[in-house]
Amino acid sequence: MKKFIINCLCAGVLSGSALAAAAQAPLSVSLHNPAGVAGGLVEVDYAMVAAQWAPLGKGSFKVLNTATGKEVPYQVLTEGTGQPVKILLDVPLKAGASTTIRFVAGKPAPVAAKTYGRYVPERKDDFAWENNRVAFRMYGKALEATPKEMAYGVDFWNKRTENLVINKWYKRTNYHKDDGDGLDYYHVGLTLGAGGIAPYLQDSIWFSRNYTGHRTLDSGPLRTSFELSYDAWQVSGKPVTVTKTVSLDAHAQLSKMQVRYSQSLPVAIGIIKRKDPGTILLQEANGVMGYWEPQHGADGTTGIGCIVLAPVKEMKVEKGHVLAVAATDGNGAITYYTGGAWDKAGLIKNADQWFRYLQEQAERLRQPVTAKIIQKK
């Protein structure tokens, strides 16, 4: 009888050990890119992985590409909640391609920072953000005290380096001069600039003032995101407020703009149009709006473009802008993408290349990479 009890206890220990080992086993996830163009960074739901793989919330982990055996750079996103929400993976997938990644316990290799953003109080409340390709800024309340410099919209910085330049450029005596890594020559003024947004009623653009509140949500290395809030202003006789959540991924030319107004509204997303002739692309059906500016002397040429995921009512050239007119949803929200390219950066050199990039990104955004847990090993 004693021998039987001992054997049962040993079997229980072995069974418990086997279960513990199984819980620690690597978790495999299949990724598939359904689009006819190459994919960007890949989002995987943190809770989905945590439900199947206990080590995720207990310590450090690595992500391996099973085809190459190499580590996949990643970033855990909280989206300002203080808790993990998503895992952002830098795993390129060609058109229609699939691959498998594996989550394993262990200390990951450091990931070089490819995105960055911050509030810039030393330059009249700017908020600037960038990645390894492009840089932008939006304007804060302090700028309103200098009417000659006042600007509303999104500013685009012409950089031609993969290095992060925001802190370096703000220390320059003149970042409107190219010292080898680019310059800021893009003019915004009292316009929507490089893809700003505003209510559009009675055939008028109802500009807000500049942002008054800011909050960083995630800070690199693969994605920087932040939130800007605005004081109420009058729109056709009614007070309106807005909050803008902006994010930029590594390797992208476009920032994601998630905008929420205090009420449902028709809106215009706009690109300032220059006086000299440029090249314009208006594709209402797939929400793509592009502008290849006239050359800016020795500085080169800038392209600006927007992708609107919501239905677009119309696109037109009016009021000094290239405009896409749409509407928020029932909650006052709309999501779109805006960004730019500079021919001197060497990646996108002409209007055809820029418009093709925008069209491909529209397809990718509407058919994102999917993730599915397939097995443990």
Side-chain angles (χ1 to χ4, degrees), residues 75-78 115-117 216-225:
Q75 177 184 344
V76 176
L77 305 173
T78 68
T115 74
Y116 178 69
T216 297
L217 307 179
D218 285 293
S219 183
L222 299 178
R223 175 179 294 173
T224 287
S225 61

Side-chain angles (χ1 to χ4, degrees), residues 166-216:
I166 284 174
N167 289 333
K168 177 183 176 182
W169 285 20
Y170 274 114
K171 291 178 181 178
R172 284 184 185 175
T173 56
N174 182 11
Y175 52 76
H176 301 290
K177 177 180 176 295
D178 189 354
D179 287 341
D181 53 6
L183 75 161
D184 171 25
Y185 78 74
Y186 189 82
H187 173 69
V188 176
L190 303 182
T191 76
L192 295 173
I197 186 172
Y200 189 76
L201 289 87
Q202 301 172 2
D203 199 34
S204 297
I205 301 172
W206 297 80
F207 294 97
S208 70
R209 304 298 284 180
N210 289 342
Y211 80 85
T212 55
H214 61 90
R215 182 167 71 104
T216 297

Side-chain angles (χ1 to χ4, degrees), residues 49-62:
V49 177
Q52 298 292 324
W53 195 59
L56 186 65
K58 297 181 179 180
S60 58
F61 66 93
K62 297 188 288 186

Side-chain angles (χ1 to χ4, degrees), residues 33 37-42 89-93 249-251 361 364 369:
N33 176 19
V37 298
L41 300 191
V42 178
L89 304 165
D90 191 357
V91 52
L93 284 175
D249 288 355
H251 319 308
Q361 294 310 299
R364 180 182 67 79
V369 173

Side-chain angles (χ1 to χ4, degrees), residues 64-326:
L64 303 179
N65 186 322
T66 57
T68 64
K70 295 181 178 180
E71 276 194 54
V72 174
Y74 72 85
Q75 177 184 344
V76 176
L77 305 173
T78 68
E79 297 183 344
T81 65
Q83 299 295 325
V85 175
K86 297 172 184 172
I87 303 168
L88 186 66
L89 304 165
D90 191 357
V91 52
L93 284 175
K94 294 181 180 180
S98 299
T99 193
T100 302
I101 58 171
R102 186 174 296 163
F103 287 82
V104 299
K107 185 177 180 180
V111 180
K114 292 182 174 63
T115 74
Y116 178 69
R118 73 172 176 95
Y119 168 58
V120 190
E122 69 270 26
R123 219 306 294 195
K124 301 175 183 176
D125 293 349
D126 286 355
F127 203 107
W129 70 103
E130 66 178 317
N131 67 4
N132 54 324
R133 290 192 179 187
V134 288
F136 308 89
R137 68 172 163 180
M138 293 173 76
Y139 302 106
K141 188 72 174 177
L143 191 66
E144 295 178 10
T146 54
K148 291 183 179 180
E149 297 179 275
M150 180 56 180
Y152 293 134
V154 179
D155 190 21
F156 177 72
W157 280 7
N158 302 78
K159 61 181 280 187
R160 52 173 169 172
T161 175
E162 292 197 353
N163 297 327
L164 301 178
V165 302
I166 284 174
N167 289 333
K168 177 183 176 182
W169 285 20
Y170 274 114
K171 291 178 181 178
R172 284 184 185 175
T173 56
N174 182 11
Y175 52 76
H176 301 290
K177 177 180 176 295
D178 189 354
D179 287 341
D181 53 6
L183 75 161
D184 171 25
Y185 78 74
Y186 189 82
H187 173 69
V188 176
L190 303 182
T191 76
L192 295 173
I197 186 172
Y200 189 76
L201 289 87
Q202 301 172 2
D203 199 34
S204 297
I205 301 172
W206 297 80
F207 294 97
S208 70
R209 304 298 284 180
N210 289 342
Y211 80 85
T212 55
H214 61 90
R215 182 167 71 104
T216 297
L217 307 179
D218 285 293
S219 183
L222 299 178
R223 175 179 294 173
T224 287
S225 61
F226 58 94
E227 181 183 274
L228 302 179
S229 56
Y230 294 72
D231 289 345
W233 77 104
Q234 292 293 310
V235 175
S236 189
K238 296 181 180 179
V240 172
T241 61
V242 67
T243 300
K244 301 175 182 178
T245 301
V246 183
S247 62
L248 179 63
D249 288 355
H251 319 308
Q253 304 286 146
L254 308 175
S255 294
K256 182 179 183 181
M257 315 289 282
Q258 295 171 283
V259 182
R260 183 179 294 275
Y261 290 94
S262 53
Q263 57 190 270
S264 298
L265 290 164
V267 294
I269 298 161
I271 302 169
I272 181 175
K273 183 180 179 298
R274 308 306 177 189
K275 292 181 180 179
D276 295 330
T279 308
I280 296 172
L281 174 71
L282 303 178
Q283 292 187 334
E284 295 174 0
N286 64 349
V288 173
M289 177 173 70
Y291 180 43
W292 190 254
E293 292 192 342
Q295 184 172 330
H296 192 265
D299 294 329
T301 307
T302 294
I304 302 295
C306 303
I307 299 171
V308 187
L309 299 184
V312 173
K313 179 182 177 182
E314 63 176 331
M315 290 180 176
K316 57 185 177 179
V317 180
E318 192 175 278
K319 304 182 187 308
H321 291 81
V322 183
L323 293 176
V325 179

